[in-house]
Amino acid sequence: MMGVRVFRNDNWNRITNGVISRKDIMRLDAEKDRELIRYLLVHAPEPCRQSMMKYAAEQYGIEELIQPRQNSDDPNDADYERYLVLREQVVREDDYDVLKEAALHSPDHDMAAFAFCRLTGYRFPPDDCDAYSYRTFSCDILPGLTAESIREFCLIMIEERGMLADVAEKCLCHQKTDHR
């Protein structure tokens, strides 16, 4: 059992709004959850941060306060750190329904985009600006998905007019040309 699962129960919204508790950092994997641990330690409110630092030192070997991550091409990139956490955590989420819910209904574009890519194998084209070209939302597809399940998901996205309905249409068109 791991600590906080960011794609579930509106946890990501809670965390990005600064509502972080000590239990969020507990039972995470020092390697697989490295970006999440870092984010939690950097953004936890002060009394909680001290307690979390003690736990992080004991469990993860983190002895000193970590600094926020910065995009070296654009130090003012406010989304960089969040993107890294979501990229790491989307591959930790193995529940189709949780990912589907995030893709369809998350108000957070990055979370929806990662969930969509995990369910379809889609990869957004890199931005023309080098500082933001990392934002492709590329990740491993959820194991066990078939071409038919991807097609069904895209149809649902289009029908419900999800945030990424236009991308779902592209995926459907791409599937049709791949299977002719």
Side-chain angles (χ1 to χ4, degrees):
M1 174 79 175
M2 67 183 276
V4 69
R5 308 271 309 244
V6 300
F7 279 82
R8 297 176 185 221
N9 305 325
D10 205 27
N11 282 329
W12 186 237
N13 187 44
R14 174 180 60 79
I15 289 168
T16 57
N17 285 317
V19 182
I20 299 171
S21 73
R22 185 171 188 255
K23 72 178 186 170
D24 290 334
I25 201 168
M26 298 174 125
R27 295 179 305 280
L28 295 174
D29 184 289
E31 285 303 311
K32 293 178 182 176
D33 298 312
R34 185 174 59 216
E35 295 297 336
L36 176 58
I37 292 167
R38 174 184 210 98
Y39 189 93
L40 292 169
L41 291 172
V42 168
H43 295 283
E46 196 41 55
C48 183
R49 181 180 298 140
Q50 292 174 12
S51 173
M52 290 172 77
M53 283 303 300
K54 283 183 185 177
Y55 184 86
E58 293 168 7
Q59 298 299 314
Y60 309 125
I62 299 171
E63 297 292 334
E64 56 190 60
L65 185 60
I66 297 169
Q67 297 303 309
R69 290 240 190 242
Q70 284 189 324
N71 181 344
S72 59
D73 293 324
D74 179 4
N76 296 317
D77 181 357
D79 295 325
Y80 187 69
E81 204 177 19
R82 294 173 65 249
Y83 180 90
L84 294 177
V85 173
L86 290 172
R87 181 181 68 187
E88 170 188 81
Q89 293 300 302
V90 73
V91 297
R92 301 277 282 140
E93 184 55 66
D94 58 2
D95 187 302
Y96 176 86
D97 292 327
V98 168
L99 290 165
K100 179 179 166 187
E101 179 65 23
L104 288 169
H105 302 117
S106 177
D108 184 292
H109 176 272
D110 289 1
M111 176 174 267
F114 269 117
F116 182 86
C117 290
R118 181 97 162 120
L119 293 175
T120 63
Y122 187 79
R123 181 180 192 274
F124 285 81
D127 195 299
D128 291 336
C129 174
D130 288 342
Y132 306 110
S133 62
Y134 68 90
R135 293 185 192 153
T136 63
F137 301 93
S138 178
C139 59
D140 293 337
I141 194 165
L142 186 66
L145 292 181
T146 64
E148 183 57 31
S149 61
I150 293 169
R151 183 182 159 315
E152 287 174 15
F153 169 71
C154 287
L155 289 171
I156 291 168
M157 174 67 75
I158 294 164
E159 182 180 310
E160 291 192 20
R161 299 173 202 247
M163 182 187 313
L164 301 166
D166 58 328
V167 181
E169 287 177 358
K170 287 180 191 175
C171 282
L172 284 177
C173 290
H174 187 264
Q175 262 193 335
K176 287 177 184 175
T177 59
D178 281 354
H179 292 50
R180 283 187 184 180

